[in-house]
Amino acid sequence: MSNLVGMYGGEFNPLHLGHVNNIIKASSMCDELHIMICYRDDDTSVPKEIRYRWIHEITKHMKNVQIHLLKDEAENKDDYNNGSYWEQGRDNILNIIGKEIDVVYCGSDYIGTNRFEELYPDSMIYYFDRGEVPVSSTNIRNFGIENWDYIPKCAKSYYAKKVLLLGGESTGKSMLCENLALCYNTNFVKEVGRDTCERAGGEEFMTSEDLYENIIRQKINVMDALEDANRLLFVDTESLTTKFYGQFLLSDDEKKMEKVNNLADSINDITNWDLVLFLEPDIPFVQDGTRNEEIENDREKFSNQIKQLLDEKEIKYHTIGGNYFERLIAAKEIIKDELGITTAFNTTYTKEEANDDVEENTILEVI
């Protein structure tokens, strides 16, 4: 057909691969496809700007697609089926598009309701098979991690859980961070401060500029790494730890220390962690040539100072101690309990089935 104008509307809250497939189909059938993103002022889920961004990302190569924001007049979703909200929405859509709509796209769950036939009597109604991609926005909202493969890549960073590892020097943060990333088949963000410290030749030679770099670059690295995270992102250290080092290293320059404090606090205030693990200083200290001897001589004291900074910001954290194996097991247990995520990627393969595959007297850990 020529000059075919189509419309596909919904909340897309959130966007999932069912929506993506429908958009691709509709855009390939139309000369002009208008996507209406419906929102309300009381939306408590994904902000409308983020939903717009997602659909823009997946359709930017589709030159015939136009995206619009459409405000629902109903106070909440339950009220939408009462009164004339559907009719108001239709009138707003026609006003936005400014021309006749040849085809209206919707899900097969509306078959038999005559909802869209009555709203758009002069348009063809095309129903997408909801069973083709068996997921819904409700599934993603309630069980996002379990439906990870149905979340488009552009939206995954919104749902990936950020796990922060903290602690004093030589508490095994770097090793545990990387090991956990391997266990969960995802990526991690290393501590920027290790690079700046090595470049400076040791902590005692670091400047306030180095600490600024630690704070800013760490934040940027986390934002970049989220784009490729697989359910989880593990992060080694953050701005408050750099604030601790600022207070420790710049104690003789109050003005510089205050600037580091202010920057660290500002970055912390715009950062949210889904889980924070704090490693206790109860494993042997490893001196790599860059670590501070004063901290080495009183590890408990300086560890508590970092905890105090967390407490001041009311950041909840879980403490982990013991040897390296015990720390790994404890971290995985906390991740399971707090985030509901395990190293079982196929949810149909149960713990009992895993045990059936192991010969008697074999030690097995399934977390």
Side-chain angles (χ1 to χ4, degrees):
M1 293 184 183
S2 134
N3 299 319
L4 191 70
V5 177
M7 187 277 292
Y8 179 38
E11 292 186 346
F12 306 103
N13 187 20
L15 184 72
H16 55 67
L17 288 186
H19 296 136
V20 174
N21 277 269
N22 294 346
I23 289 171
I24 292 171
K25 287 181 179 179
S27 69
S28 66
M29 296 168 62
C30 294
D31 296 285
E32 189 177 319
L33 176 64
H34 295 265
I35 299 177
M36 315 302 299
I37 303 174
C38 304
Y39 73 95
R40 291 179 301 278
D41 287 335
D42 71 336
D43 279 345
T44 57
S45 189
V46 184
K48 62 182 183 297
E49 295 84 1
I50 299 297
R51 286 181 265 161
Y52 186 100
R53 182 178 308 176
W54 290 342
I55 295 179
H56 169 72
E57 180 66 23
I58 67 166
T59 62
K60 60 186 179 183
H61 67 291
M62 305 176 191
K63 304 307 179 184
N64 63 330
V65 171
Q66 297 181 44
I67 311 169
H68 311 277
L69 291 173
L70 177 67
K71 183 177 179 180
D72 285 349
E73 302 299 330
E75 291 187 7
N76 56 65
K77 190 170 183 177
D78 292 336
D79 288 346
Y80 200 80
N81 288 323
N82 301 320
S84 58
Y85 294 117
W86 279 98
E87 288 75 14
Q88 290 177 26
R90 181 228 21 231
D91 293 343
N92 290 337
I93 289 172
L94 291 171
N95 183 57
I96 290 172
I97 295 178
K99 60 183 71 174
E100 291 185 5
I101 301 173
D102 298 304
V103 56
V104 174
Y105 297 95
C106 58
S108 56
D109 48 324
Y110 282 100
I111 291 177
T113 66
N114 288 323
R115 170 73 70 186
F116 289 96
E117 286 82 356
E118 293 174 358
L119 288 170
Y120 302 92
D122 298 324
S123 304
M124 178 178 73
I125 311 301
Y126 186 96
Y127 291 98
F128 292 120
D129 180 5
R130 287 288 298 270
E132 182 180 359
V133 182
V135 72
S136 69
S137 293
T138 302
N139 295 148
I140 304 296
R141 285 195 298 271
N142 295 340
F143 311 104
I145 296 299
E146 287 83 347
N147 291 280
W148 186 255
D149 290 338
Y150 289 113
I151 301 175
K153 187 178 188 303
C154 63
K156 285 188 172 181
S157 62
Y158 186 89
Y159 287 95
K161 303 298 184 182
K162 301 186 294 295
V163 180
L164 173 65
L165 278 72
L166 293 178
E169 289 191 350
S170 192
T171 53
K173 298 189 307 299
S174 299
M175 179 181 292
L176 182 58
C177 186
E178 187 165 357
N179 284 343
L180 287 170
L182 289 169
C183 287
Y184 292 90
N185 194 29
T186 187
N187 54 350
F188 69 99
V189 177
K190 69 177 184 177
E191 181 184 358
V192 171
R194 295 178 68 87
D195 294 334
T196 54
C197 179
E198 183 177 346
R199 189 172 65 226
E203 287 179 357
E204 64 269 31
F205 303 112
M206 294 179 72
T207 67
S208 57
E209 293 293 330
D210 293 323
L211 300 180
Y212 301 153
E213 180 180 348
N214 291 351
I215 295 169
I216 295 170
R217 195 179 297 279
Q218 191 82 1
K219 176 64 176 179
I220 294 172
N221 288 352
V222 170
M223 295 170 67
D224 289 342
L226 275 171
E227 298 297 322
D228 296 309
N230 180 19
R231 303 189 301 169
L232 294 164
L233 174 67
F234 294 97
V235 180
D236 179 359
T237 308
E238 47 58 86
S239 61
L240 292 183
T241 301
T242 305
K243 179 178 179 178
F244 158 77
Y245 280 105
Q247 295 173 348
F248 180 75
L249 299 173
L250 303 174
S251 57
D252 59 344
D253 193 328
E254 197 167 308
K255 189 172 183 180
K256 289 183 178 179
M257 181 173 66
E258 183 179 1
K259 288 183 177 180
V260 172
N261 288 347
N262 291 339
L263 179 59
D265 287 338
S266 296
I267 295 296
N268 176 76
D269 290 344
I270 61 171
T271 303
N272 295 311
W273 302 104
D274 297 288
L275 183 63
V276 179
L277 305 177
F278 192 97
L279 276 60
E280 298 286 12
D282 57 354
I283 55 174
F285 190 95
V286 177
Q287 179 54 262
D288 61 4
T290 63
R291 289 169 174 158
N292 191 282
E293 291 185 2
E294 184 179 350
I295 293 178
E296 178 182 1
N297 293 330
D298 200 343
R299 300 172 70 193
E300 193 72 32
K301 169 188 171 183
F302 293 109
S303 180
N304 287 335
Q305 287 181 6
I306 299 175
K307 287 181 180 179
Q308 184 177 350
L309 294 176
L310 297 174
D311 293 338
E312 289 172 358
K313 294 294 184 180
E314 298 183 345
I315 296 175
K316 176 186 174 183
Y317 55 91
H318 297 262
T319 57
I320 295 178
N323 60 38
Y324 291 106
F325 177 76
E326 291 168 338
R327 288 163 188 255
L328 175 65
I329 300 306
K332 291 169 72 177
E333 284 286 356
I334 295 170
I335 290 168
K336 179 180 67 174
D337 293 341
E338 294 293 321
L339 303 179
I341 300 175
T342 72
T343 50
F345 295 93
N346 181 355
T347 55
T348 63
Y349 188 66
T350 66
K351 184 172 182 177
E352 289 72 22
E353 289 171 331
N355 283 327
D356 290 342
D357 290 342
V358 180
E359 295 181 2
E360 190 177 356
N361 298 323
T362 299
I363 298 175
L364 174 70
E365 174 217 353
V366 180
I367 293 180

